[in-house]
Amino acid sequence: MKRVRHFASDNNSGICPEAWAALEEANHGHASGYGEDKWTQKACRLIRDLFETDCEVFFVFTGSAANALGLASVCRSYHSIICHETSHVQNDECGGPEFFSGGAKVQTLPGKDGRLTPDAILAAAASRRDLHFPKSGALSLTQSTELGTVYSPAQIKANCRAAKKAGLKTHMDGARFSNAVASLGVLPKDITWKVGVDILSFGLTKNGTHAGEALIFFDKTLAREFDWQNKQAAQLASKMRFLAAPWVGMLKDGAWLRHAAHANKMAARLARALKKIKGVELLMPRQANGVFVELPLPVIDALHTRGWHFYTFIGESGARLMCSWDTTQEDVDDFAADLTELMANRKNLKTKPAKGQGRKPH
Ligand SMILES: *Cc1c(COP(=O)(O)O)cnc(C)c1O
C-alpha cells in the first residue's frame, strides 16, 4: 500500500505552512545577497529575542555544517571532541568535524539512554593528558538525543560544569532542540547559555523548514573569525533571504514550538498504543518525537511490506519511529492497528526483507 506519510524520519516531512508562506513573502523583488537583507536581520533578531540574550547567529545549509563548523571554531587540529557514541557528529557526518577542524579526534563515550554524565566526561578528559593523545577541546551534547530522550536543565548544567572544569567548550547539537524545549516546558535559555552551553546548532529543518540551520554563538568571542571559516566552508548563502525567511515564519508567532509539541504528542500517542500490544517492548523512555521499540524481525518485514517506512539501526531488531509536525492521529492509530494484527499473527509470518529499509537514520 502506498502511504503519504510514515515514520522513517521527521526530515521526510514537507515544508510547514508558516515556513512556506514566509518563503513566498520573501520572493518579491530584489534583496541584497550574503545576509545583507531584511529577512536575515529579522531572523537574527527573533533568535536573540527567543534566547533572551545577545548572541552571534549564522545560517548554514545543513545541520552537519552547523555541527562541524561550530566544533571547528573551538577545536584546533590536535584537539578532541567528546560526545556520545550514538551522536550524529560521530556517526552521520562523514568525518566533517575532523575535516573542518583540520584533524580533531572525535572521542565517543557510552551513556544510558543516549545521555552523557559529568563523571564520564571528567573521566574521559582526565584519561590522557600526555602529549601523545589529542588534548580535550570540546564537549558535544545532543538535545534531544539520538535515542529520543532529553537532558533535563540540571543534567545539562552538570555536564557543562564538568566540561568547563576540564577546560572544554560545550557545543549542543540541537537538530531537535524544539522538541526538547516542548518536552521540558522550559525557556530556550534554561537549557543553553544559562546552564553553560557555548555554541548551539539550532535546527528547524526537521520541524518544518526546507533547509537552513542556525549556528548560534552565545559566547560571542568564539565567533571572532567565524565569517571567514564559514565562507571558506562554502556555507555563506548568496540568496540568504531564502534560508532566513522560514525562520521568521516559524519564530514570529511560535510555530516552531507548536509543531514540535504536536510531533511530541503524536509520539506519546504512539508509545501509549504500542505499550498496550502484547510482546512489544519500548527500548527507551519516550520523551520527544521518536519512539524506539523492539519488534520481531518477521513483523518488521511485514510492516515494511504494508508500506510503513521506518529504520532499524538499533541492534538487530530495534525500530525507530519518528513523528513530525504533520503526523496525524490516524497515521498513529493505523500503524498501531497494523502492528496489533501482525503481532497476534506473528507465528504465521515469514521473514522477507523489504527493499530499501535498514540503516539510514536521522
Ligand atoms: C538530522 C540531524 C542533524 C543534521 O543533519 P543534516 O542532514 O546535516 O541536516 C544533526 N544532528 C542530529 C542529531 C540529527 O538528527
Side-chain angles (χ1 to χ4, degrees):
M1 184 178 160
K2 189 101 186 92
R3 296 186 184 278
V4 180
R5 285 177 301 275
H6 35 77
F7 296 95
S9 178
D10 31 1
N11 73 8
N12 285 197
S13 62
I15 302 171
C16 69
E18 295 84 355
W20 189 261
L23 276 173
E24 188 137 57
E25 213 186 307
N27 194 28
H28 287 287
H30 285 204
S32 299
Y34 304 108
E36 301 294 323
D37 65 283
K38 69 174 199 280
W39 289 94
T40 306
Q41 279 154 20
K42 183 147 189 215
C44 291
R45 199 162 62 240
L46 285 168
I47 287 176
R48 290 186 191 109
D49 290 349
L50 182 67
F51 285 92
E52 302 174 59
T53 189
D54 188 21
C55 47
E56 290 288 351
V57 181
F58 298 85
F59 293 101
V60 295
F61 287 93
T62 65
S64 298
N67 285 345
L69 293 173
L71 288 163
S73 70
V74 291
C75 287
R76 307 270 314 254
S77 57
Y78 50 81
H79 280 143
S80 72
I81 298 159
I82 294 174
C83 61
H84 194 273
E85 63 190 2
T86 60
S87 69
H88 199 272
V89 162
Q90 156 73 359
N91 297 293
D92 299 293
E93 299 183 359
C94 194
E98 292 93 327
F99 178 76
F100 285 106
S101 60
K105 181 185 176 75
V106 174
Q107 192 182 353
T108 63
L109 304 179
K112 192 171 177 308
D113 297 344
R115 295 189 199 93
L116 295 176
T117 60
D119 287 349
I121 293 162
L122 285 171
S127 67
R128 291 281 297 270
R129 293 198 192 277
D130 58 274
L131 280 182
H132 304 275
F133 192 80
K135 186 175 193 294
S136 306
L139 166 69
S140 182
L141 301 172
T142 311
Q143 176 79 320
S144 327
T145 72
E146 281 81 358
L147 297 182
T149 54
V150 302
Y151 287 99
S152 68
Q155 286 169 331
I156 294 172
K157 188 175 187 176
N159 283 344
C160 291
R161 190 184 292 144
K164 193 160 191 192
K165 198 166 155 197
L168 318 180
K169 297 292 180 198
T170 300
H171 162 261
M172 179 174 277
D173 176 351
R176 299 190 179 92
F177 183 76
S178 311
N179 302 93
V181 173
S183 171
L184 292 164
V186 295
L187 295 168
K189 66 180 175 186
D190 295 335
I191 52 171
T192 54
W193 61 270
K194 262 187 99 174
V195 287
V197 173
D198 298 303
I199 302 174
L200 170 68
S201 302
F202 184 8
L204 282 189
T205 307
K206 290 188 169 109
N207 198 20
T209 66
H210 69 304
E213 311 284 83
L215 180 59
I216 304 173
F217 292 85
F218 296 113
D219 178 349
K220 290 174 76 168
T221 62
L222 300 177
R224 223 173 359 220
E225 295 192 345
F226 190 75
D227 281 309
W228 284 269
Q229 198 166 18
N230 191 44
K231 175 70 197 188
Q232 187 183 52
Q235 291 296 322
L236 182 64
S238 94
K239 284 192 177 174
M240 184 76 90
R241 68 175 140 151
F242 298 109
L243 291 192
W247 283 80
V248 175
M250 292 284 272
L251 296 185
K252 71 173 190 228
D253 66 357
W256 69 281
L257 194 56
R258 272 198 310 280
H259 289 319
H262 170 82
N264 290 358
K265 196 171 145 201
M266 291 300 104
R269 185 182 180 91
L270 182 59
R272 272 198 309 278
L274 298 196
K275 272 191 217 157
K276 288 196 200 126
I277 304 174
K278 216 166 148 250
V280 172
E281 288 290 330
L282 290 202
L283 290 166
M284 298 289 151
R286 194 291 312 167
Q287 295 179 338
N289 61 323
V291 180
F292 289 72
V293 68
E294 186 79 33
L295 297 173
L297 283 173
V299 171
I300 290 176
D301 295 336
L303 284 166
H304 286 164
T305 305
R306 288 190 181 196
W308 294 112
H309 293 229
F310 55 88
Y311 292 109
T312 52
F313 56 91
I314 309 107
E316 258 283 277
S317 51
R320 185 191 73 163
L321 303 165
M322 295 307 300
C323 296
S324 53
W325 66 269
D326 64 347
T327 302
T328 65
Q329 290 193 5
E330 292 74 49
D331 296 334
V332 170
D333 297 350
D334 288 353
F335 181 88
D338 271 0
L339 182 56
T340 306
E341 187 197 321
L342 291 167
M343 285 300 288
N345 284 325
R346 71 178 183 276
K347 302 252 152 32
N348 306 320
L349 298 172
K350 291 206 178 62
T351 301
K352 186 162 68 60
K355 275 211 198 98
Q357 309 274 349
R359 210 209 124 77
K360 191 175 162 290
H362 314 292

